[in-house]
Coordinates of all heavy atoms in Angstrom, one line a residue:
Chain B
A103 N -79.7 -25.0 -93.6 CA -81.0 -25.0 -94.2 C -81.0 -25.3 -95.7 O -82.0 -25.2 -96.4 CB -81.7 -23.6 -94.0
G104 N -79.8 -25.7 -96.2 CA -79.7 -26.2 -97.5 C -79.4 -25.1 -98.5 O -79.4 -25.3 -99.7
H105 N -79.0 -23.9 -98.0 CA -78.6 -22.9 -98.9 C -77.1 -22.9 -99.3 O -76.4 -23.6 -98.6 CB -79.0 -21.5 -98.3 CG -80.4 -21.4 -97.9 ND1 -81.4 -21.4 -98.9 CD2 -81.0 -21.3 -96.7 CE1 -82.6 -21.3 -98.3 NE2 -82.4 -21.2 -96.9
D106 N -76.8 -22.2 -100.3 CA -75.4 -22.2 -100.8 C -74.8 -20.9 -100.5 O -75.3 -19.8 -100.8 CB -75.5 -22.4 -102.4 CG -74.1 -22.6 -103.0 OD1 -73.1 -22.8 -102.2 OD2 -74.0 -22.5 -104.2
V107 N -73.6 -20.9 -99.9 CA -72.9 -19.7 -99.5 C -71.6 -19.7 -100.3 O -70.8 -20.7 -100.2 CB -72.6 -19.6 -98.0 CG1 -71.9 -18.3 -97.7 CG2 -74.0 -19.6 -97.3
R108 N -71.3 -18.7 -101.0 CA -70.1 -18.6 -101.8 C -69.3 -17.3 -101.5 O -70.0 -16.3 -101.4 CB -70.4 -18.7 -103.3 CG -71.1 -20.0 -103.8 CD -71.3 -20.0 -105.2 NE -72.0 -21.2 -105.6 CZ -72.4 -21.5 -106.9 NH1 -72.1 -20.6 -107.8 NH2 -73.0 -22.6 -107.2
F109 N -68.0 -17.5 -101.4 CA -67.2 -16.3 -101.2 C -66.6 -15.9 -102.5 O -65.8 -16.6 -103.1 CB -66.1 -16.6 -100.2 CG -66.7 -16.7 -98.8 CD1 -67.2 -17.9 -98.3 CD2 -66.6 -15.7 -97.9 CE1 -67.7 -18.0 -97.1 CE2 -67.1 -15.8 -96.6 CZ -67.7 -16.9 -96.2
Y110 N -67.0 -14.8 -103.0 CA -66.5 -14.3 -104.3 C -65.3 -13.5 -104.1 O -65.3 -12.4 -103.5 CB -67.6 -13.5 -105.0 CG -67.2 -12.8 -106.3 CD1 -66.9 -13.6 -107.4 CD2 -67.0 -11.4 -106.3 CE1 -66.5 -13.0 -108.6 CE2 -66.6 -10.8 -107.5 CZ -66.3 -11.6 -108.6 OH -65.9 -11.0 -109.8
A111 N -64.2 -14.0 -104.7 CA -62.9 -13.3 -104.5 C -62.4 -12.6 -105.8 O -61.3 -12.1 -105.9 CB -61.8 -14.3 -104.1
G112 N -63.3 -12.4 -106.8 CA -62.9 -11.7 -108.0 C -62.3 -12.7 -109.0 O -61.1 -13.0 -108.9
G113 N -63.1 -13.3 -109.9 CA -62.6 -14.2 -110.8 C -62.7 -15.6 -110.4 O -62.8 -16.5 -111.3
S114 N -62.8 -15.9 -109.2 CA -63.1 -17.2 -108.7 C -63.8 -17.1 -107.3 O -63.6 -16.1 -106.6 CB -61.8 -18.0 -108.5 OG -61.0 -17.4 -107.6
S115 N -64.5 -18.1 -107.0 CA -65.2 -18.1 -105.7 C -65.2 -19.5 -105.1 O -65.3 -20.4 -105.8 CB -66.7 -17.6 -105.9 OG -67.4 -18.4 -106.8
S116 N -65.0 -19.5 -103.8 CA -65.1 -20.8 -103.2 C -66.4 -21.0 -102.5 O -67.0 -20.0 -102.0 CB -64.0 -20.8 -102.1 OG -64.2 -19.8 -101.1
G117 N -67.0 -22.1 -102.6 CA -68.3 -22.4 -102.2 C -68.4 -23.2 -100.9 O -67.6 -24.1 -100.7
L118 N -69.4 -22.9 -100.1 CA -69.7 -23.8 -99.0 C -71.2 -24.2 -99.1 O -72.0 -23.4 -99.6 CB -69.5 -23.0 -97.7 CG -68.1 -22.5 -97.3 CD1 -68.2 -21.6 -96.2 CD2 -67.3 -23.7 -97.0
G119 N -71.5 -25.4 -98.7 CA -72.9 -25.8 -98.7 C -73.1 -26.7 -99.9 O -72.3 -27.4 -100.5
T120 N -74.4 -26.5 -100.4 CA -74.8 -27.5 -101.4 C -74.2 -27.2 -102.8 O -74.2 -28.0 -103.7 CB -76.3 -27.4 -101.6 OG1 -76.7 -26.0 -102.0 CG2 -77.0 -27.7 -100.3
G121 N -73.7 -26.0 -103.0 CA -73.2 -25.6 -104.3 C -71.8 -26.1 -104.5 O -71.3 -26.2 -105.7
G122 N -71.1 -26.4 -103.5 CA -69.7 -26.7 -103.6 C -68.9 -25.6 -104.3 O -69.2 -24.5 -104.2
F123 N -67.8 -26.0 -104.9 CA -66.9 -25.0 -105.5 C -67.4 -24.6 -106.9 O -68.0 -25.3 -107.6 CB -65.5 -25.5 -105.6 CG -64.8 -25.6 -104.3 CD1 -64.9 -26.8 -103.5 CD2 -64.2 -24.6 -103.7 CE1 -64.3 -26.9 -102.3 CE2 -63.6 -24.7 -102.5 CZ -63.7 -25.9 -101.8
S124 N -67.2 -23.3 -107.2 CA -67.5 -22.9 -108.5 C -66.5 -21.8 -108.9 O -65.7 -21.3 -108.0 CB -68.9 -22.3 -108.5 OG -69.0 -21.1 -107.7

Side-chain angles (χ1 to χ4, degrees):
Chain B
H105 303 296
D106 185 13
V107 179
R108 298 181 182 181
F109 289 82
Y110 173 69
S114 64
S115 59
S116 62
L118 294 171
T120 60
F123 288 92
S124 65

